[in-house]
Amino acid sequence: MAQVLILGLRIQERIAARPRAVTVASLAAIVGISLALGFYNLDFLYGAHVDEPTKVVLVADKPHNYFHPPLLIVLARALAWLGAASSDLERLWAGRLVSVMAMTAAGALFYLVLTRYADRLQALIWSCVFASSPAIAVHAHYFKEDALLVFAICLGLHALVRLVERIDLHNLVYLGIALGLAPSAKYVGFLNSVGLFAFALWYCRLGARDAALVVVAGAAIVLAILLVSFAGESGTGLGDVLTGLARELKHAESGHDLGEWFWAGYGLTHLRHHLLPSITVMTFLIGLGAICLALVKDRDRRVAAFAAAAFIWLFALELSPLKIVGQMRYVLPVVVYFLLAAGIASSRSIAMRSRAGATALALVALTVTAHAGISYVRNMNPSKDTRTKAVEFLTANGMTNVVSDYPTGYPVPQTWDYEALASYDYLLSLRFERYLRGGELRAQNSQVYALASMFHCLDGYAVATFSRLYGDYGFVAPTVRIYDLKRGASCIPPAKSRP
């Protein structure tokens, strides 16, 4: 360990001597890590992520329903056209490639932002923590909007720090474009853009002309993306966008089939079940300790700004009903801001007292986080997937007339209606844990309690359970259980007991 610390200090001295070369080398390392993890097992099960088949259809020829913003589909269509994609699998790869490249660019931008406020060694290590974290490495694989949102947030932060350094036409337009990309990537990105714009107005003391320029640039990029989207399909227009947006706002208000409001006693779901697995408990504790030191002892305003953004995001998520355990993607903005605050605090507060100590703690965070990130991505291999093992078990034991209650990536019949279970002999369940947990929560829909009772009863008729260490993260190797419905027929509630 002592040799590692000495090596780290020598590297830090060389970094100080050759900043430009080190910046290029650091960016190359971060990009390399992001690409390596992003392409590793990029061929994980198609159909296992419930939203990907819908995205593939939108890339092919179906008009966009605008339940999600169009940027992802526009970019995926462009890549599919450039690659002459003619099959669903090729369109899927185009969409997943967009996510890989977005997360890779986000990692580079994260480093460029962090170097403004942290020494280059700490910036490099904490940027590698970011790039190799489960949150970033895993979500780089999905044909979903989340990677583009992370990229847009990092782009907005980079534009903001440039504007803080110098207010000129280029930086104002740059900030406007970045702020416009966020809601074009994901509707919730609008909140992030509003926050960054408000900060720019206050901190940079922008005049009316400068503020208007940022707004016009942002609106122009949103409009341009919409127009490109409309041009790529027929029969859609602004009315479809408004309908899709209204649907998403209603979803944000009502949540999923489980309702977990913060003040109903189910608080800190996102912190415990989503943020901690996304960056690991060790990295969270190291980062939180560094942040507390920077705030209490040094009154560091930069750390305070990024930490405040992280906890405001987290608090807003905890107040919302969007808390299905396993939906780690919701905390991605929190990961960005928290790790930036941790990296700055490590450099400006811990390193100020002990360079060796700061390097040691940062390396511990990197080691633990990278191990988790690599392990989760490794388990995305289709041959290691729990869904694969479950299907192989069914085939090997001659079990037929099977139904699944969630997409598996295999041609297994699927139903969302548990009333239909009486028609099948076996249930391959990926959602049993959701309802067992829901049965312990207050003020739920009666159907949740009925299903919780059903799964409690079916526990006595479980044939097999498949799980993996470093599984149950997002769509990575979820716990799968097979139930014998013939023997457990009495467990299925009659239709009249459920609305």
Side-chain angles (χ1 to χ4, degrees):
M1 187 65 180
Q3 292 178 339
V4 173
L5 293 178
I6 292 172
L7 178 61
L9 294 175
R10 288 178 178 173
I11 292 174
Q12 193 163 5
E13 292 173 356
R14 294 178 181 177
I15 286 175
R18 303 179 64 184
R20 180 173 297 181
V22 169
T23 296
V24 174
S26 297
L27 285 172
I30 295 164
V31 168
I33 291 171
S34 298
L35 291 175
L37 287 173
F39 281 105
Y40 186 26
N41 287 330
L42 193 61
D43 61 340
F44 79 95
L45 294 172
Y46 174 38
H49 192 304
V50 66
D51 293 331
E52 284 193 323
T54 302
K55 305 294 184 188
V56 169
V57 171
L58 292 178
V59 172
D61 53 18
K62 184 178 179 180
H64 202 323
N65 54 25
Y66 295 97
F67 289 171
H68 299 94
L71 180 58
L72 175 63
I73 301 304
V74 166
L75 294 176
R77 283 173 178 168
L79 280 182
W81 178 78
L82 289 172
S86 58
S87 68
D88 285 351
L89 192 59
E90 289 174 342
R91 298 182 189 101
L92 173 72
W93 274 90
R96 288 181 177 177
L97 184 59
V98 170
S99 292
V100 173
M101 301 312 295
M103 285 301 196
T104 300
L109 290 165
F110 185 95
Y111 172 77
L112 293 176
V113 172
L114 195 49
T115 51
R116 257 47 178 212
Y117 307 115
D119 68 71
R120 293 180 184 274
L121 179 60
Q122 291 292 315
L124 172 60
I125 296 175
W126 282 96
S127 295
C128 290
V129 170
F130 173 81
S132 62
S133 68
I136 303 305
V138 169
H139 288 93
H141 290 72
Y142 300 146
F143 185 4
K144 280 287 290 179
E145 295 81 7
D146 306 293
L148 281 175
L149 176 63
V150 172
F151 164 73
I153 290 174
C154 291
L155 189 71
L157 289 171
H158 185 247
L160 182 61
V161 297
R162 283 175 56 97
L163 189 67
V164 168
E165 294 170 356
R166 182 178 180 181
I167 300 176
D168 60 16
L169 177 62
H170 294 92
N171 288 336
L172 289 167
V173 172
Y174 180 25
L175 179 62
I177 292 174
L179 299 187
L181 283 175
S184 299
K186 197 170 183 178
Y187 290 131
V188 72
F190 177 76
L191 300 178
N192 190 80
S193 294
V194 169
L196 292 184
F197 181 61
F199 184 85
L201 287 175
W202 170 73
Y203 191 84
C204 301
R205 298 184 179 180
L206 298 182
R209 176 181 173 277
D210 293 339
L213 188 59
V214 173
V215 172
V216 169
I221 197 69
V222 170
L223 180 60
I225 293 170
L226 283 175
L227 291 176
V228 172
S229 178
F230 295 156
E233 56 201 29
S234 60
T236 59
L238 184 58
D240 299 283
V241 178
L242 296 177
T243 300
L245 177 59
R247 185 261 189 189
E248 281 301 291
L249 289 174
K250 184 177 181 180
H251 174 56
E253 179 184 358
S254 59
H256 297 89
D257 50 352
L258 300 187
E260 298 189 50
W261 293 94
F262 184 84
W263 46 78
Y266 318 133
L268 304 182
T269 299
H270 281 301
L271 173 63
R272 291 181 291 124
H273 297 288
H274 298 157
L275 181 60
L276 295 183
S278 291
I279 59 176
T280 73
V281 174
M282 179 63 73
T283 296
F284 177 77
L285 293 176
I286 291 173
L288 185 62
I291 290 169
C292 290
L293 178 64
L295 296 180
V296 174
K297 292 292 185 180
D298 302 321
R299 303 289 196 273
D300 193 299
R301 291 181 299 173
R302 294 174 179 84
V303 173
F306 286 112
F311 290 111
I312 288 172
W313 260 110
L314 183 61
F315 181 69
L317 288 171
E318 296 290 5
L319 286 180
S320 79
L322 297 172
K323 296 193 184 73
I324 290 298
V325 171
Q327 298 290 343
M328 280 74 174
R329 60 194 181 90
Y330 291 124
V331 302
L332 287 173
V334 183
V335 170
V336 175
Y337 285 104
F338 180 83
L339 291 181
L340 279 173
I344 298 169
S346 178
S347 175
R348 298 175 68 89
S349 291
I350 298 180
M352 183 177 66
R353 293 166 172 83
S354 171
R355 292 170 61 193
T359 301
L361 288 173
L363 288 173
V364 168
L366 175 58
T367 301
V368 174
T369 305
H371 176 265
I374 293 169
S375 298
Y376 281 119
V377 173
R378 183 186 296 121
N379 282 344
M380 298 181 82
N381 188 311
S383 65
K384 296 181 178 181
D385 197 283
T386 50
R387 290 157 288 208
T388 300
K389 299 301 182 184
V391 172
E392 289 175 348
F393 178 87
L394 291 168
T395 302
N397 289 276
M399 296 179 179
T400 58
N401 196 24
V402 180
V403 67
S404 172
D405 60 3
Y406 207 75
T408 63
Y410 288 97
V412 176
Q414 184 216 321
T415 182
W416 300 104
D417 181 11
Y418 288 96
E419 294 181 11
L421 294 185
S423 303
Y424 296 91
D425 295 335
Y426 298 96
L427 169 64
L428 191 156
S429 179
L430 284 74
R431 304 212 297 171
F432 68 96
E433 290 182 316
R434 171 187 293 189
Y435 292 111
L436 289 175
R437 181 170 179 271
E440 300 173 354
L441 302 177
R442 300 192 303 273
Q444 301 299 304
N445 186 291
S446 61
Q447 184 180 23
V448 172
Y449 297 118
L451 292 177
S453 177
M454 181 191 77
F455 280 114
H456 274 299
C457 179
L458 284 174
D459 277 345
Y461 305 99
V463 177
T465 301
F466 302 88
S467 63
R468 292 189 66 87
L469 182 64
Y470 292 106
D472 280 322
Y473 183 93
F475 294 88
V476 178
T479 300
V480 181
R481 184 166 291 173
I482 298 174
Y483 296 101
D484 188 334
L485 297 178
K486 293 179 296 184
R487 294 170 53 219
S490 62
C491 298
I492 303 173
K496 64 180 179 181
S497 69
R498 299 194 302 273

